[in-house]
Amino acid sequence: MIDWRRVLYLTLVSRFLDDTEEQRLVPEKKVLYQFSARGHDVAQLILGQHLSHPHDAAGAYYRSRPLLLSLGLTIADAFAGPMGKSGGFSDGRDIGVVCNLPNDPGPVVLPMSGDVGSQYTPTAGWAQAILYHREVLGDAAYRGAIACVLGGEASIATNGFWSALTLATTLTLPLLFYIEDNGYGISVPGWLQTPGADIAANLASFQNLRVTSGDGSQPAEAAQLIGEAVAAVRGGGPALLRLTVPRLSGHSGQDTQAYKSPELLEREQANDPLPRLYALLGESGASDAELRAIEARALHDAEAGLGEALARAEPELARVTRFRLAERDAEGRPLLQRRGGLAPTGHVFPPGSETPRPERARINLLTAVRRTLEAELRSNPKLLVFGEDVGPKGGVHGATLGLQEGFGERRVFDTSLSEEGIIGRAVGMALAGLLPVPEIQFRKYADPATEQLNNCGTLRWRTNNRWAAPLVVRMPGGYAPKCGDPWHSVCGETVWAHATGWQVAIPSNAEDAVGLLRSALRGNDPVIFFEHRALLDASSARRPYPGDEFVLPFGRARVVTEGNQLTLVTWGAMVERCEAAAKQSGQAVELLDLRTVAPWDRDAVLASVRKTRRCLIVHEDTLTAGFGAEIAATLAAEAFLSLDAPVERIAIPDVPTPYNVALMNAVLPQVDTIAMRIAELIEF
């Protein structure tokens, strides 16, 4: 049963928020971004009453504030967020309509994003996590839980929507697509977003999808359709509900809607659901006195919330860089996020050791990755491995060979051909307390997932440590032993070293691969684990397996060779070449393998350069703005007086890796070139 009086109360609170922002706070420049929910509000508040399961989750967007009010967002936080005040859902870090609710128990509202359509695949990931918790981990508390994702009709043109729709319908996920169709994406009409401007009609024959449509401005009709859709999803399988609603304000506070005719604006105002809500309450027996009392209470509470928000302090400037990564307090205790990953659940990993216990036989890097995944899958039932071709085929590189056979298709599985879906789903799973390990088949293929990767990395910071999404993205790339090409041979590690919130590991040998991968799989931050194609079966990268307890901390370089004449800094596939070049040069070269570029071992590099007084940096990524530039800038700032020669870099010129072998070798750093530059710098 719908509590219509509560719907009215929260609608009035929501309208007070919108009115106050538009008429007072925006003109006073106390709110800088404003998005009204007028017209969308009544149906959203009905939806909110149906999301009552402790493991329900909603993926929302910038016009979803009424739903958040129904699920526990306080009026003070609803005001304070857009004002950029301290506390609340972001501590002034994110725009005020990009919200989150880490209720525990739920229902929760997943961390929203400021881009369009990116809410869909993480919500699908939460829906898949519901099934995993219930059916694989055997947690009956997840029985009946659902995920619901909200979006406007313009967002259905995005990759995220179609990827999530594929996920939901191929996997029969408990996911409700709740589409609010107000006819316009800012000024672009709906017929330019989808043929015929009706996504429900277009999807009527879609397999495994219950599709309904109706008028969201009619409270009784909206309540019936929402109730039926939610019940269907709780019964098993996805549904899409499209409700037409009027947008009674501009897209944002700056939008005058000059692109709409006066007749259209008049029709939209006539479709305001609030007068119809009053009529419904009157027909159901609510007296005028009762309605006036609800109005008075809403006004009183809204004004009190406004006063509380206005009185809040501004965010502390000194804290603005906090929570880019997981942190510890002064006593070394972790400052855990409230939701996301294994840490808040109290999960305990097996003991680890930085001391290797090597076996007799040497293994290649590919086997090292596979054995580490196998060991961690065995010890951690919340770990899942997935991506394109990782199932029966065992991965196009062979890193997951036999894992599906050993652990089942619910834990090691293939995905649809959508990197947006692979990473977005992984984010949702991580938010739901699982440890997803998605594979991006080649580094270049991560480009379609850039939005999800960026949002994942900033998530902890944006929510002021309320949420985090620790996951490990396995990402093969780099030139192949026998050829290159512009698509499969990309390194581009600087992109992720530059991205907020990501750790980046690039092991050069099998032992380091084991230690770094295990550290990533037991950590509390998202990690890019780069598997260089030239090293997967390279003899130089072979090492004995160091044991199932071996872990390596991130940010600790390996001293490959010691010396006092020049510091040679590199990582990944260039380690082998640099080691050969150092030997060929006959000089006392100190070779450092960074192993991780985010974080990178600044102290080790600075200490070495202060000893040798010279530095050469070699990497496979392109020269301009490559990570070597960051190292060089650090040395110029912090070790300038220790230098007896310029800091030099050798890298690929600013071109993609060519396919032709001779062309590839012409751009890759070569042993002779490195050795010659070593000699030149020492003689400088």
Side-chain angles (χ1 to χ4, degrees), residues 182-204:
N182 63 36
Y184 280 85
I186 306 183
S187 65
V188 179
W191 64 268
L192 286 173
Q193 309 291 355
T194 192
D198 185 347
I199 189 63
N202 293 347
L203 294 176

Side-chain angles (χ1 to χ4, degrees), residues 14 55 77 99 175 200 284 380 407 416 456 473 496 506 526 546 564 623:
S14 180
H55 294 297
D77 278 351
C99 313
L175 178 60
S284 63
N380 182 3
F407 296 95
S416 52
C456 176
V473 183
W496 313 119
I506 311 178
N564 58 13
L623 183 69

Side-chain angles (χ1 to χ4, degrees), residues 108-121:
V108 302
V109 178
L110 304 180
M112 297 158 56
S113 300
D115 34 44
V116 178
S118 64
Q119 69 271 30
Y120 287 106
T121 52

Side-chain angles (χ1 to χ4, degrees), residues 366 370 388-404 412 414 439 474:
L366 187 70
R370 182 167 59 244
E388 296 158 20
D389 301 302
V390 306
K393 182 177 176 60
V396 297
H397 307 284
T400 58
L401 195 65
L403 294 184
Q404 186 179 87
V412 180
D414 290 326
E439 178 185 291
R474 295 181 42 251

Side-chain angles (χ1 to χ4, degrees), residues 421-436:
I422 292 171
I423 300 301
R425 151 193 358 215
V427 171
M429 288 178 165
L431 295 174
L434 301 178
L435 175 54

Side-chain angles (χ1 to χ4, degrees), residues 17-35:
L17 282 156
D18 289 335
D19 291 343
T20 304
E21 288 173 345
E22 290 174 344
Q23 299 168 20
R24 174 183 170 184
L25 299 178
V26 169
E28 292 177 356
K29 293 185 169 48
K30 292 177 179 174
V31 168
L32 306 178
Y33 280 106
Q34 197 277 333
F35 292 84

